[in-house]
């Protein structure tokens, strides 16, 4: 009996829908095959087949199913669900021109529906049309402001075109749409555009929300160091190493550098020594230990580190490693000298560190031109200028650093020393 066959087909169709809702497309297709054998002209069958075929990543099969729907029910062709499914199938089978034309019609007819815009945004990205993608993603953000995934996607595209516009877009995000991924994206954008104080606020909030993320603690530690908060940086980097002992080498190496340019050379040397003990072929750790041993006068450690470094690095590599690490050490030594208010040599050439100090000052000057909004760079330049007897440039760098980060305690102390010390005449 025909009615009985249709009723059995309907039951198989219902089972197919249930399997799809349970994210089981293979089982859904099996039930659908049963329904098709019983009643191939059943109206809901072909659209569901197309949707299941897309779930199985078989777009050509989906298009064939939609063609069958057109054959049995030609008036269904222009229904929104059918057009949307066809647009996705065309897109996924690389028929981009047909997909674009159909999806643009859907956007015009249903401007409040985000689905065709999502597909058009994906098509624009595929065609490397960032501007078109941004237009559609911004429309999605207006239509679905709580869609955190869409906001992250918009932020990624905008960041490559205009980080400032990306920050402005994210700043308009409703409070209930913020999640850890979006906040991290914002923190990194602020950091990379030298809005460091705002970036620190984002990282601080993230650390409360994701307190067990070692990589996050490491990133936040680097930022704290850039802001001149050496104690905070050291605490965060130690936390990163503690949370993930297997990946602790990077945060510990960063910690050693923080300690070096903060003037805690002996403690930095112990960190480098521990890293070298755990990995005897680590040339960077050997170079760090060598520099710290030279500064603190541990001749035995100097010879040990020199030997390890020579075994695992070429001459050019050794020069590169030592040059970079000596900049940290030189800054730390000068900071100690300034804080101790020790007498300075009459001429820079008489100090064994003077050449290193001058080289570090030149490097920092170049860095300041490239990244003028980093308070720590201006702080270190001020320290080095004072060590070279250049009081007025030191004063200017201090004021620049305080303008960027008014809460920079070390810079306030340095300003007091500069203002209280007699300005030395130029040689």
């Amino acid at each position: 009996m025909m009615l009985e066959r249709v009723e059995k087909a309907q039951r198989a169709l219902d089972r197919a829908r249930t399997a799809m809702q349970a994210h089981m497309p293979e089982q859904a297709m099996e039930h659908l095959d049963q329904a098709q054998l019983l009643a191939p002209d059943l109206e809901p069958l072909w659209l569901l087949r197309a949707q299941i075929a897309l779930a199985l990543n078989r777009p050509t099969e989906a298009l064939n199913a939609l063609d069958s729907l057109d054959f049995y029910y030609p008036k269904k062709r222009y229904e929104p669900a059918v057009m949307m499914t066809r647009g996705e199938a065309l897109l996924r089978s690389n028929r981009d021109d047909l997909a674009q034309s159909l999806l643009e019609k859907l956007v015009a007819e249903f401007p409040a529906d985000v689905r065709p815009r999502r597909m058009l945004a994906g098509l624009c990205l595929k065609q490397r049309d960032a501007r078109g993608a941004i237009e559609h993603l911004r429309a999605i953000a207006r239509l679905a402001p709580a869609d955190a995934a869409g906001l992250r996607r918009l932020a990624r595209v905008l960041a490559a075109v205009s980080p400032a516009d990306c920050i402005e877009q994210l700043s308009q995000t409703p409070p209930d749409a913020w999640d850890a991924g979006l906040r991290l994206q914002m923190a990194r954008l602020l950091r990379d555009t030298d809005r460091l104080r705002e970036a620190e606020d984002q990282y601080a909030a993230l650390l409360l929300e994701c307190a067990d993320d070692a990589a996050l603690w490491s990133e936040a530690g680097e930022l704290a160091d850039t802001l001149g908060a050496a104690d905070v940086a050291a605490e965060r980097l130690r936390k990163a190493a503690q949370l993930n002992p297997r990946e602790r080498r990077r945060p510990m190496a960063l910690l050693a550098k923080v300690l070096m340019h903060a003037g805690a050379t002996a403690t930095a040397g112990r960190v480098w020594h521990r890293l070298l003990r755990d990995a005897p072929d680590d040339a960077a750790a050997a170079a760090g230990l060598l520099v710290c041993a030279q500064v603190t006068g541990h001749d035995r450690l100097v010879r040990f580190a020199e030997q390890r470094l020579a075994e695992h690095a070429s001459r050019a590599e050794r020069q590169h490693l030592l040059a970079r690490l000596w900049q940290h050490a030189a800054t730390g030594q000068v900071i100690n000298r300034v804080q101790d208010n020790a007498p300075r040599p009459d001429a820079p050439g008489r100090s064994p560190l003077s050449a290193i100090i001058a080289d570090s000052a030149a490097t920092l000057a170049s860095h300041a031109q490239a990244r003028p909004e980093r308070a720590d760079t201006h702080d270190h330049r001020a320290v080095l200028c004072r060590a070279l007897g250049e009081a007025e440039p030191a004063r200017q760098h201090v004021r620049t650093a305080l303008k960027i980060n008014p809460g920079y305690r070390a810079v306030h102390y340095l300003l007091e020393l500069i203002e209280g010390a007699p300005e030395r005449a130029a040689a």
Side-chain angles (χ1 to χ4, degrees), residues 395-407:
R395 191 177 290 112
Q396 292 174 2
H397 294 315
V398 162
R399 288 170 179 164
T400 302
L402 289 176
K403 185 177 179 181
I404 296 169
N405 182 10

Side-chain angles (χ1 to χ4, degrees), residues 255-271 292 296 332-333 335-336:
L255 171 62
K257 292 174 185 177
V258 168
L259 293 168
M260 286 175 75
H261 65 238
T265 312
T267 306
R270 287 192 287 273
V271 175
C292 292
T296 55
Q333 288 296 98
I335 286 172
N336 285 338

Side-chain angles (χ1 to χ4, degrees), residues 375-424:
D376 65 324
T377 301
H378 297 287
D379 169 42
H380 293 162
R381 291 188 74 189
V383 169
L384 295 174
C385 285
R386 186 172 187 271
L388 293 170
E390 301 169 357
E392 185 53 38
R395 191 177 290 112
Q396 292 174 2
H397 294 315
V398 162
R399 288 170 179 164
T400 302
L402 289 176
K403 185 177 179 181
I404 296 169
N405 182 10
Y408 205 149
R409 288 177 296 175
V411 180
H412 281 288
Y413 177 73
L414 181 58
L415 180 60
E416 291 176 8
L417 292 175
I418 293 172
E419 297 294 353
E423 189 166 332
R424 200 174 78 181

Side-chain angles (χ1 to χ4, degrees), residues 209-373:
E209 187 176 350
C210 308
D212 59 349
D213 190 323
L216 181 62
W217 282 97
S218 187
E219 277 190 41
E222 288 186 81
L223 179 63
D225 179 44
T226 302
L227 285 167
D231 292 343
V232 175
E235 179 184 350
R236 288 176 176 178
L237 292 168
R238 287 191 176 101
K239 180 72 172 178
Q242 177 187 357
L243 284 170
N244 190 358
R246 291 184 178 181
E247 302 292 334
R248 72 187 188 95
R249 297 194 64 78
R250 184 175 184 278
M252 291 303 288
L254 290 170
L255 171 62
K257 292 174 185 177
V258 168
L259 293 168
M260 286 175 75
H261 65 238
T265 312
T267 306
R270 287 192 287 273
V271 175
W272 287 123
H273 197 187
R274 192 178 309 125
L275 288 171
L276 187 59
R277 182 187 61 202
D278 294 342
D281 60 344
D282 188 340
L289 178 59
L290 175 56
V291 170
C292 292
Q294 288 174 330
V295 171
T296 55
H298 285 74
D299 295 338
R300 184 177 175 184
L301 275 178
V302 168
R303 292 191 295 273
F304 169 76
E306 283 178 334
Q307 180 180 352
R308 287 292 178 86
L309 186 57
E311 290 172 356
H312 300 290
S314 67
R315 182 178 180 181
E317 290 169 338
R318 294 197 297 271
Q319 290 175 339
H320 177 73
L321 286 168
L322 292 171
R324 295 188 66 180
L325 288 164
W326 264 113
Q327 290 177 13
H328 292 292
T331 304
Q333 288 296 98
V334 175
I335 286 172
N336 285 338
R337 181 182 295 162
V338 169
Q339 291 179 340
D340 293 342
N341 208 19
R344 296 188 302 270
D346 292 336
R350 295 185 184 180
S351 168
L353 283 173
S354 60
I356 298 169
I357 293 170
D359 182 61
S360 298
T363 300
L364 286 169
S366 175
H367 185 66
Q369 287 183 348
R371 306 294 293 273
E373 299 302 320

Side-chain angles (χ1 to χ4, degrees), residues 6-176:
V6 170
E7 199 235 340
K8 287 182 179 179
Q10 195 70 56
R11 285 202 300 269
L13 197 64
D14 290 340
R15 287 194 292 271
R17 289 196 184 97
T18 301
M20 271 296 286
Q21 291 168 358
H23 306 288
M24 300 166 64
E26 294 87 356
Q27 289 84 342
M29 189 63 84
E30 291 174 7
H31 294 307
L32 206 62
D33 288 340
Q34 295 172 10
Q36 186 175 339
L37 287 172
L38 292 165
D41 60 345
L42 199 60
E43 183 264 319
L45 186 148
W46 295 105
L47 178 58
L48 183 57
R49 176 174 283 279
Q51 292 166 343
I52 295 172
L54 286 176
L56 292 168
N57 198 27
R58 301 195 312 232
T60 301
E61 184 178 336
L63 288 171
N64 291 337
L66 292 171
D67 288 343
S68 296
L69 178 66
D70 288 347
F71 176 78
Y72 286 112
Y73 300 95
K75 292 182 179 179
K76 294 285 183 180
R77 179 180 184 88
Y78 299 104
E79 288 189 356
V82 175
M83 292 177 69
M84 207 80 67
T85 305
R86 186 180 292 279
E88 184 178 352
L90 288 168
L91 196 62
R92 290 170 63 176
S93 58
N94 295 317
R95 303 181 191 184
D96 294 348
D97 291 342
L98 291 173
Q100 183 171 356
S101 176
L102 180 58
L103 292 170
E104 285 174 350
K105 287 180 183 177
L106 283 167
V107 167
E109 290 184 32
F110 307 99
D113 194 327
V114 298
R115 291 175 296 172
R117 286 194 178 274
R118 285 192 179 116
M119 287 186 273
L120 279 171
L123 179 58
C124 288
L125 290 173
K126 179 182 176 182
Q127 296 172 340
R128 301 184 185 277
D129 178 11
R131 298 290 179 184
I134 288 169
E135 178 185 348
H136 291 298
L137 290 168
R138 277 185 162 151
I140 293 168
R142 289 193 301 271
L143 293 167
D147 181 0
L151 288 168
R152 283 195 298 271
R153 195 177 189 190
L154 172 59
R156 283 193 295 271
V157 181
L158 264 177
V161 176
S162 173
D165 287 346
C166 183
I167 292 170
E168 177 63 25
Q169 179 71 46
L170 287 178
S171 67
Q172 300 171 18
T173 303
D176 58 350

